[in-house]
Amino acid sequence: MQPFRRLLLGVAAAMLAAPAFAQSDFPSKPIRLVVSFAAGGISDVLARALAIKLASNIGQQVIVENKPGAGTTIASEYIARSTPDGYTIWLQDVTTHAINASLYSKLPYDTVKDFTPITMVASTPLMLVSHPSIPAKSVDELIKLIRSKPGQYAYGSSGNGTIVHRAAEMLKSAAGLDVLHVPYKGSAPATQAILGGEVSFVFSTMPPAVSNVKAGRLRALAVTTPKRVETVPDVPTMIESGLPDFDLVLYSGIFGPPGLPPAIVRRLNAEFAKVVNDPQIRAVYEKIGADPMTTTPAELAAKMNEEIARLGKVVKASGAKVD
């Protein structure tokens, strides 16, 4: 019995040692960075910039995989069900993820427990833009125009429950507007929709908003941050435009599946900090109108809980629900 007992002890020791070895060897193969939106939007552009630099730093491929749709819940469920080994991670719009906790009556995952926070990577304002054919040159004029023709104007969004959708619903609720919602699978198709005149206005992410405003294809009405944005200093805030407490910022963070080992979380947190603080990546941020930021996993978790509570009140006040 003694040799058999030694064999069992050896097998048990090997099983216990294997995860530790795998973690110390991380990463030893390509990493997938999942994005909740379609290609071409700000999350996708940001993810691809981060992926290229991260791959260069760690010596492994970092493959961006887009899983758009259902207000980011498709990607959310995918991550929640993924193996917690560090090889499948997620760049998510923290704000939308927090909104979904209250917007959806049933979710196939727990918004907090089924994800491992790693780090925040960016914050980005939104810009309210309208099609030039709309005879409104300010938020006040847009509100008056929509009120004059209830139910005849439509706005676009990057999907149900996204921050772009919530921003428009906040405007709708605050101003008492009767306006239609047309959801798309990401910021890029929503931008194409307003450029084509399919919708009258959209709360756009900064890259397509700024470039199309400068080209005269869209009209800038306001930004959603409490203070004006340095990239577009002449564009007023929603608060300045007569809507008190209108404060929405798109926060982007990196998450993993539940149960991601602490050693891997620490490694990824440190690697993303290097990437975000790299001068080349900072230049990308400036170009797309995003502010670089990094946090500890605990700070990201705290921000998530804060946004869930804050934006839950917004969702409740609007009466919006998705079954």
Side-chain angles (χ1 to χ4, degrees), residues 26-242:
F26 177 85
S28 59
K29 62 181 183 179
I31 292 173
R32 283 188 299 171
L33 179 57
V34 176
V35 180
S36 305
F37 299 96
I42 190 168
S43 294
D44 178 69
V45 172
L46 182 61
R48 292 179 190 279
L50 295 175
I52 291 170
K53 190 62 184 177
L54 179 61
S56 174
N57 288 356
I58 65 176
Q60 293 288 346
Q61 274 188 300
V62 180
I63 302 161
V64 175
E65 186 174 333
N66 300 88
K67 288 190 174 294
T72 78
T73 60
I74 290 174
S76 301
E77 183 177 8
Y78 178 78
I79 293 298
R81 305 288 177 260
S82 295
T83 303
D85 57 7
Y87 293 102
T88 301
I89 56 177
W90 185 37
L91 187 147
Q92 168 64 323
D93 174 349
V94 175
T95 316
T96 289
H97 192 59
I99 288 170
N100 286 346
S102 299
L103 182 65
Y104 286 80
S105 56
K106 292 181 181 179
L107 287 170
Y109 54 81
D110 186 288
T111 304
V112 175
K113 295 178 182 178
D114 285 343
F115 305 92
T116 301
I118 297 171
T119 182
M120 200 85 81
V121 291
S123 66
T124 316
L126 297 177
M127 184 188 289
L128 173 58
V129 292
S130 63
H131 192 271
S133 65
I134 302 300
K137 296 182 179 180
S138 68
V139 175
D140 184 56
E141 289 181 8
L142 179 66
I143 290 171
K144 289 177 179 176
L145 182 66
I146 295 172
R147 283 175 176 168
S148 71
K149 297 180 180 180
Q152 294 187 36
Y153 289 96
Y155 72 87
S157 81
S158 51
N160 283 313
T162 61
I163 185 174
V164 172
H165 177 203
R166 285 294 93 209
E169 285 297 307
M170 283 176 68
L171 172 61
K172 177 181 174 181
S173 177
L177 303 179
D178 181 359
V179 61
L180 303 174
H181 172 216
V182 183
Y184 296 90
K185 288 188 176 182
S187 295
T191 299
Q192 289 304 312
I194 190 168
L195 288 172
E198 294 177 25
V199 293
S200 302
F201 69 92
V202 66
F203 280 87
S204 174
T205 52
M206 291 299 283
V210 173
S211 60
N212 284 300
V213 166
K214 288 182 177 179
R217 292 187 288 265
L218 294 175
R219 180 181 291 125
L221 300 181
V223 291
T224 61
T225 42
K227 297 181 180 179
R228 293 196 183 199
V229 177
E230 189 175 332
T231 311
V232 283
D234 294 334
V235 180
T237 66
M238 293 293 289
I239 295 172
E240 287 178 306
S241 302

Side-chain angles (χ1 to χ4, degrees), residues 248-263:
L248 271 185
V249 180
L250 189 159
Y251 292 103
S252 299
I254 303 293
F255 295 83
L260 193 62

